Amino acid sequence: MACASSLIVEDNFLCAICLDVFTKPVAIPCGHTFCRDCITGHWETRKPLFQCPLCKKEYSAMPELCVNTVLDHASEKVKKTIQERSCNTREEAGSGNVLCGICTGTKLKATKSCLMCFVSYCDAHLEPHLRVSTLKKHKLINPVQDLESRICKKHDEALELFCRVDRLFICKVCKDGDYKAHKIVSVEEEADMRKALLGMEKKEMDQMIEAHQQKLQEIQHSVEASGNNAAKALAQSKHVMTALVDYIRRSQAELSEVIQTKQKKTEEETAGFIKELQGEIVQIKQKNAELDQVCGIDDPFEFLERFLSRNFDPPQVKDWSEMTLNSDQFTVQGLLMKLEATVTREIRLLCDPDLKKMQRYAVDVTLDPDTANPSLVVSEDGKEVKCGDRKRNVPDKPERFDHVLNILAKESFSSGKFYYEVQVKEKTQWDLGVTNQSINRKGDIRLSPKNGYWTIWLRKGNEFTANAGPAINLHVREMPQKVGVFVDYEEGQVSFYDVDARAQIFCFTECNFTERLFPYFGPCGHDSGKNLAPLIITPVKFNC
C-alpha cells in the first residue's frame, strides 16, 4: 500500500475533471492544467461559455492550449508506477481485502468502513472523517466487503443495535417500533459480551486440552511402563521357567540315580541272601537224601541198626520266615502324580497352554427367552442378556426362573466336551456356569454342586467366588473381561478361564454328571447404575 506522501505526490498529477493521472496535459491562460480531451470536452458542452473548471475565469473564445511536455513526461512515469502497484493491489483484493471506494484508477486497501456514508476508505481518503467535526460523528468500523448487509432493508439505516430477544440485528428505527419492548443493546456491547463468553469457553477448552494432554502423557507413560513390565515379565518368566525345567531335569536325574543306587544295594543284599539260602538248601537236600536212604531199608533189624548209628540232628539253618524284602520303596507314582497335579494347577493359574485345545470344542450357544426371569431383557439374536427397568408381562412357564435373575441356554449336553465364552466387561456382578436339567427354577435358589449348579460369580466388582459348597474365594491378578467355560462330561470337570490372560480361574473336578447340562447365565441387578452392561456370548477366536 502506498504511503500518504506518495499519494500527495500523485495528486499533483491528477486532472481535476477526470480525477485520473494526466493524459496529454495542456495548460490554459489562467495556469491550470487539464487533460486535452477533458478540457475540450468540458467546453464543448458549455458553448459559447469558456470557463476554467477550477478558478471559474471566463474567456470570450476558446483559449490556446499549450502542451506541458515536462508534465506529460512525468505523468507517464506516474502512470507506470501506479500500474506496477496495481498488480500488488489486485493480489490484495483477490485475497479478501476490502478496497477503498473513493480511489480512482488504482484502488488502495481500505482501513475503515463508514456506516453513515456506506463507503470504505483508505488512510488518505479517511482523513476528512478524522478531521471534520461533522464527519467525526459518523460510525466507523473495520472494513467490510458487503456494506449492504449492514443496512436495515426496511428503513435503510445502519444495523447498529442487537435484539437479545429475537437475536437479530436492528437499526434505531426498528428499536422504536416493533422492538420497543425488547432488550436492545449496541452491536459492540453484544459482541463484547459474546466475546467474554467465548473467552470463558475458550479458557475451559484450554483447560480441557491441558487435562487431555496430561491424561495422554499418563497413558503414554503407562504404555511405556507396561512395555517395560512386559519385557521384565517375559525375561523373568523365561528365567523362572528355564530354572524350573532345569531343576526338574536335575531332579529327574537325581531321582534316577537314587533309584538305581537303591536297586543296586537291594540286588547286592539279596545276592548274599540267595547264596546263603542256596547253601542251606544244599545242606537240607543232603540231609534229606540220607533220610531217604534209611527210610528205604525194608529189613527192620537193618533199619534200626542204621538208624541208631547215624546222627539225625536237623541241619543248622536260619529261620527265614520273618524275613521280607520292601519292594514298595520304588513306588513313587502316587507322589509324582501329586507333584504333576500341583505344578499343573499352579501353571494353569498363571497361563494354561491347554486352553487352545479346549477352544477347539467351541459350541454355538444361544439364550433361551422361555427360561429368562421376567426382569431380564434378551437380545433378538439371543446372544446378550441384561436386567431391564421393569418386569415384562410373560407367561409363567415351568422352565422360567421367577425369582432370581437367571437364564439358561437353549442348547444342552449329555456327553463329550464343550466350550463357550462370555463377555463380562464393565460389569460389577454376574454368575456363570452350568446346571442340571432338573434344577429348581422357582423361588430362592442356592448355587452349589449339591443343588445341581457348578458356577462362579462376581460381587461388588472385586469379590470373586467359586460356589463349591462351601464357597471358595478366588484370587486373580486382574478381573477378567471375558470368561471361557469348558466342560468334560465324562471326566466330570467344569473349568473357568480368563480368556485374555489365558489363565484358569477355577476348576470343579470329580463331578458325577448324570443329567443333561445347560449353560447358565446370571447378569444380576443394576447395582445403583454400575452394572448396566449385558452378558454377551461371543464367538470363540482360536489362538493358533
Side-chain angles (χ1 to χ4, degrees):
M1 184 179 70
C3 62
S5 59
S6 66
L7 289 172
I8 293 172
V9 172
E10 290 173 10
D11 284 346
N12 293 329
F13 294 90
L14 298 181
C15 171
I17 297 176
C18 67
L19 298 178
D20 205 347
V21 180
F22 291 118
T23 300
K24 296 181 180 180
V26 293
I28 59 177
C30 63
H32 292 119
T33 303
F34 306 94
C35 298
R36 178 189 294 275
D37 292 340
C38 290
I39 189 64
T40 55
H42 176 74
W43 284 337
E44 282 293 330
T45 60
R46 287 169 174 76
K47 286 182 179 180
L49 180 64
F50 300 96
Q51 187 181 51
C52 174
L54 293 177
C55 64
K56 307 302 181 183
K57 184 176 180 179
E58 297 180 358
Y59 301 95
S60 58
M62 180 182 293
E64 183 180 355
L65 301 178
C66 300
V67 178
N68 190 333
T69 56
V70 175
L71 188 59
D72 185 26
H73 182 67
S75 296
E76 289 299 323
K77 287 186 176 181
V78 171
K79 284 183 179 181
K80 185 176 181 181
T81 300
I82 293 175
Q83 187 176 13
E84 291 175 352
R85 194 170 64 223
S86 176
C87 295
N88 297 331
T89 304
R90 281 194 296 271
E91 289 179 2
E92 291 183 358
S95 63
N97 293 324
V98 179
L99 300 181
C100 177
I102 301 299
C103 290
T104 57
T106 302
K107 292 185 177 293
L108 301 179
K109 181 180 177 181
T111 56
K112 291 290 182 181
S113 295
C114 178
L115 292 180
M116 301 297 289
C117 304
F118 298 109
V119 177
S120 297
Y121 298 100
C122 63
D123 285 334
H125 292 115
L126 181 66
E127 188 270 338
H129 279 75
L130 305 177
R131 175 173 47 83
V132 180
S133 58
T134 304
L135 296 178
K136 283 183 178 181
K137 298 178 182 179
H138 288 194
K139 182 72 172 180
L140 296 176
I141 61 173
N142 290 329
V144 294
Q145 195 72 256
D146 185 13
L147 274 171
E148 291 185 3
S149 64
R150 307 298 180 97
I151 303 172
C152 178
K153 291 180 173 56
K154 186 176 182 181
H155 304 111
D156 291 330
E157 294 286 337
L159 297 173
E160 301 179 76
L161 304 175
F162 185 81
C163 174
R164 287 182 172 174
V165 177
D166 294 338
R167 300 169 67 89
L168 295 173
F169 295 101
I170 62 173
C171 68
K172 292 181 179 179
V173 180
C174 294
K175 176 185 176 183
D176 298 331
D178 298 339
Y179 300 89
K180 191 172 184 179
H182 290 190
K183 177 65 176 178
I184 307 299
V185 296
S186 67
V187 171
E188 290 80 5
E189 182 180 349
E190 183 68 16
D192 290 342
M193 186 271 289
R194 299 285 179 178
K195 284 182 180 179
L197 293 176
L198 287 178
M200 295 173 61
E201 186 174 349
K202 185 180 182 302
K203 186 176 180 180
E204 292 179 1
M205 294 299 105
D206 291 339
Q207 292 174 348
M208 290 177 63
I209 291 172
E210 184 178 357
H212 279 63
Q213 288 176 338
Q214 290 179 352
K215 181 57 66 177
L216 177 61
Q217 291 179 353
E218 290 179 12
I219 294 174
Q220 290 174 338
H221 291 158
S222 298
V223 171
E224 183 178 352
S226 177
N228 293 335
N229 292 336
K232 290 179 182 178
L234 287 172
Q236 186 177 13
S237 65
K238 184 177 180 180
H239 172 74
V240 172
M241 290 298 184
T242 302
L244 182 60
V245 170
D246 179 64
Y247 184 79
I248 291 174
R249 187 180 294 112
R250 288 187 291 111
S251 298
Q252 181 186 13
E254 192 73 17
L255 182 59
S256 298
E257 185 178 341
V258 168
I259 292 174
Q260 291 172 0
T261 301
K262 285 185 176 182
Q263 177 63 16
K264 185 176 181 181
K265 183 179 179 181
T266 300
E267 289 175 353
E268 290 176 352
E269 290 178 349
T270 54
F273 295 149
I274 292 171
K275 184 177 180 180
E276 188 175 357
L277 279 169
Q278 286 175 341
E280 291 183 353
I281 291 172
V282 170
Q283 295 180 36
I284 295 171
K285 285 183 177 181
Q286 289 176 351
K287 195 69 173 179
N288 191 49
E290 293 177 1
L291 293 175
D292 286 341
Q293 289 178 358
V294 175
C295 291
I297 299 175
D298 295 331
D299 182 25
F301 181 87
E302 184 181 356
F303 169 77
L304 289 173
E305 185 180 36
R306 291 282 301 273
F307 178 80
L308 294 173
S309 65
R310 299 294 298 262
N311 181 13
F312 289 101
D313 293 332
Q316 300 297 315
V317 295
K318 291 181 179 180
D319 182 6
W320 296 87
S321 62
E322 299 296 329
M323 182 183 176
T324 58
L325 291 176
N326 183 16
S327 60
D328 293 336
Q329 61 178 322
F330 304 116
T331 308
V332 295
Q333 291 89 339
L335 293 174
L336 291 175
M337 289 179 64
K338 184 177 180 181
L339 174 62
E340 181 185 12
T342 301
V343 172
T344 302
R345 181 177 65 252
E346 294 301 322
I347 291 178
R348 282 176 175 171
L349 293 175
L350 182 65
C351 185
D352 190 352
D354 292 333
L355 178 58
K356 296 177 182 178
K357 297 179 181 178
M358 297 177 185
Q359 287 178 324
R360 297 190 181 279
Y361 294 97
V363 294
D364 186 16
V365 175
T366 308
L367 299 167
D368 185 358
D370 290 339
T371 66
N373 180 282
S375 295
L376 297 183
V377 178
V378 183
S379 63
E380 291 186 4
D381 62 359
K383 298 297 182 180
E384 300 183 19
V385 60
K386 64 180 180 180
C387 182
D389 297 327
R390 55 185 178 81
K391 281 192 174 184
R392 297 174 295 122
N393 185 17
V394 293
D396 185 15
K397 298 183 177 181
E399 61 268 31
R400 189 182 304 282
F401 291 94
D402 66 349
H403 183 69
V404 292
L405 299 175
N406 294 345
I407 183 174
L408 301 181
K410 292 180 179 179
E411 296 76 18
S412 62
F413 307 88
S414 59
S415 63
K417 303 173 183 178
F418 62 93
Y419 175 88
Y420 58 93
E421 293 178 352
V422 183
Q423 179 177 301
V424 296
K425 186 178 180 180
E426 298 180 355
K427 292 190 68 62
T428 59
Q429 300 183 25
W430 50 261
D431 305 348
L432 285 177
V434 294
T435 69
N436 280 333
Q437 184 176 17
S438 63
I439 56 169
N440 176 34
R441 311 186 189 195
K442 306 300 180 182
D444 196 12
I445 294 173
R446 294 290 180 265
L447 301 182
S448 71
K450 179 182 177 181
N451 296 330
Y453 292 85
W454 292 267
T455 64
I456 63 173
W457 74 20
L458 177 69
R459 294 293 184 270
K460 299 180 181 179
N462 58 7
E463 294 181 3
F464 217 8
T465 305
N467 301 302
I472 299 175
N473 293 328
L474 302 177
H475 302 283
V476 292
R477 287 173 294 164
E478 57 183 356
M479 287 300 161
Q481 303 296 300
K482 185 182 293 185
V483 175
V485 182
F486 173 76
V487 177
D488 188 330
Y489 195 96
E490 282 72 25
E491 288 294 326
Q493 177 182 323
V494 182
S495 303
F496 298 88
Y497 291 87
D498 182 336
V499 176
D500 296 324
R502 301 185 194 176
Q504 188 180 86
I505 299 171
F506 185 77
C507 181
F508 290 94
T509 58
E510 299 181 1
C511 307
N512 184 22
F513 298 133
T514 58
E515 304 180 25
R516 300 193 71 83
L517 296 179
F518 286 80
Y520 160 90
F521 308 84
C524 299
H526 290 159
D527 191 18
S528 302
K530 295 181 288 187
N531 194 44
L532 301 177
L535 288 176
I536 304 175
I537 302 171
T538 59
V540 176
K541 297 180 180 180
F542 297 102
N543 297 306
C544 299

